[in-house]
Amino acid sequence: MEDLLRIGKWTFRSRLMVGTGKYSSNDVMKEALRASGAEVVTVAIRRVNLNSKEDSLLNHIDTSRYTILPNTAGCYTVEDAVRTAHLAREALGVDLIKLEVIGDEKTLFPDTAGLVEASRILVKEGFTVLPYTNDDPVVAKKLEDVGCSAVMPLAAPIGSGLGIRNPYNIRIILETVKVPVIVDAGVGTASDAAVAMELGCDGVLMNTGIAGAKDPVSMARAMRLAVEAGRLAYLSGRIPRKLYAQASSPIEGMIESAGPV
Amino acid sequence: MKVYVNGEPREVEDGITVKGLLEHLRIEPAGIAVEINREIVPRGTHGKRTINEGDRIEIVRMVGGG
């Protein structure tokens, strides 16, 4: 049976979602997106530059191939986040939103009270809401209760590359909510993505981990393989951890030992 | 008349529509969203909606982001 990721009315084969920011060029970005195998790509919503002709990102992302997931990055209030979601829906014609309500400039940790409130508003308006949240099971439950279609706890601060700082909280979130859990932010290298998937997360979303690598295209492939490997390992059921050795080869049939002289 | 587009003051002709403003600014309408005084102007109404003196207009599009 095919192992599909279902979020709201959407279905995806890939469990890796990738951002489109911070690439050195659109060509590198396009190649990295392809190598990642991602079906969902995130974008931000910003003012059109009135003073110079721009090369629209739309020219570089095949919207028939990728599901565009706009974010509300940079929004510090419920009002701004909701407004940005409305603009994204109008601009892109999708009611899918990666909801961010940021609480602190230095850490970019979410304002979780604002996040729950903005989620409530947008869900009522018919949006499929994917909130970027803390690794806090209580908040995750609140987000599910107001109707979010997934919860996206951070592994570590955005762009930090620190990996999963609190795997136990992620595990508790996985036990607490029924909607998909997607680790968003903080993934630095392939093993971080694999760990998220081995914990049982439904997906991983990243940007800097790929775009900031020396070779973004090969890192995108590494992330793809890590997410697939981690998922497969999770589904396969790992062995329990034991403190002492347990021989892999049979004890019977050993040759006669010379023994101590 | 004077209006504000993306925070910048601009002189535009009286009675200009959103469609007219986009043409004036050479902005392709695909993939953008327009807001006047914090209210979305749906794509289908750009040709009908006229802009008034002092209106604050936001024109946005998608850019690379995480």
Side-chain angles (χ1 to χ4, degrees):
Chain A
M1 207 183 75
E2 228 184 336
D3 178 35
L4 299 171
L5 170 60
R6 290 191 169 81
I7 298 173
K9 61 187 174 202
W10 280 268
T11 304
F12 306 107
R13 279 182 306 277
S14 168
R15 291 174 180 272
L16 174 58
M17 303 181 180
V18 297
T20 55
K22 299 187 188 171
Y23 282 97
S24 54
S25 73
N26 283 322
D27 286 338
V28 174
M29 179 199 73
K30 262 190 283 190
E31 275 307 301
L33 296 191
R34 189 171 302 142
S36 75
E39 292 166 282
V40 178
V41 298
T42 63
V43 299
I45 300 295
R46 292 291 180 271
R47 282 172 163 173
V48 167
N49 188 342
L50 302 175
N51 301 310
S52 67
K53 182 84 184 136
E54 296 179 306
D55 182 15
S56 168
L57 188 63
L58 264 182
N59 298 331
H60 300 281
I61 296 175
D62 180 356
T63 50
S64 64
R65 175 174 176 165
Y66 299 108
T67 298
I68 307 292
L69 174 58
N71 68 31
T72 63
C75 293
Y76 283 79
T77 63
V78 172
E79 192 195 353
D80 282 351
V82 169
R83 202 176 148 201
T84 302
H86 291 164
L87 287 166
R89 178 168 62 183
E90 168 66 16
L92 303 168
V94 286
D95 53 14
L96 194 59
I97 193 80
K98 175 186 161 183
L99 187 62
E100 300 185 28
V101 181
I102 303 299
D104 173 56
E105 218 171 311
K106 198 168 177 179
T107 58
L108 297 178
F109 284 144
D111 168 355
T112 52
L115 184 67
V116 172
E117 183 52 27
S119 296
R120 192 195 315 271
I121 293 167
L122 291 169
V123 166
K124 271 194 191 143
E125 293 178 357
F127 278 86
T128 298
V129 180
L130 282 63
Y132 153 74
T133 183
N134 262 323
D135 53 3
D136 179 339
V138 176
V139 174
K141 183 76 178 85
K142 286 183 183 178
L143 291 166
E144 179 180 55
D145 287 346
V146 300
C148 291
S149 298
V151 292
M152 305 208 295
L154 51 82
I158 294 173
S160 70
L162 290 172
I164 298 190
R165 294 298 80 213
N166 200 337
Y168 302 101
N169 273 29
I170 300 289
R171 275 173 61 183
I172 296 171
I173 290 173
L174 285 162
E175 285 186 13
T176 306
V177 301
K178 292 185 191 74
V179 292
V181 176
I182 295 162
V183 160
D184 175 12
V187 169
T189 188
S191 55
D192 298 336
V195 166
M197 297 310 294
E198 287 172 5
L199 287 171
C201 290
D202 298 278
V204 181
L205 195 161
M206 66 181 78
N207 187 351
T208 310
I210 294 174
K214 271 189 187 159
D215 184 341
V217 179
S218 71
M219 185 58 93
R221 180 161 177 260
M223 292 299 186
R224 171 191 198 151
L225 295 170
V227 167
E228 284 175 12
R231 177 67 181 172
L232 205 51
Y234 167 71
L235 294 175
S236 306
R238 60 152 299 149
I239 60 163
R241 291 178 170 85
K242 293 175 289 278
L243 190 56
Y244 293 101
Q246 217 168 36
S248 305
S249 309
I251 310 293
E252 298 80 38
M254 293 286 295
I255 57 169
E256 192 181 11
S257 167
V261 182
Chain B
M1 64 178 180
K2 192 182 189 181
V3 296
Y4 296 87
V5 185
N6 288 355
E8 293 177 20
R10 292 261 163 172
E11 278 297 326
V12 295
E13 50 179 282
D14 287 7
I16 196 171
T17 62
V18 169
K19 185 167 180 278
L21 178 71
L22 293 175
E23 282 163 8
H24 173 69
L25 295 168
R26 294 193 180 83
I27 295 170
E28 286 289 324
I32 63 147
V34 179
E35 218 186 33
I36 298 181
N37 304 328
R38 303 199 159 207
E39 252 177 60
I40 301 265
V41 182
R43 191 175 300 279
T45 66
H46 284 185
K48 280 184 291 187
R49 176 66 189 266
T50 52
I51 292 167
N52 298 311
E53 170 99 46
D55 276 352
R56 306 194 79 89
I57 302 147
E58 293 284 346
I59 308 172
V60 301
R61 84 303 193 206
M62 69 172 185
V63 299

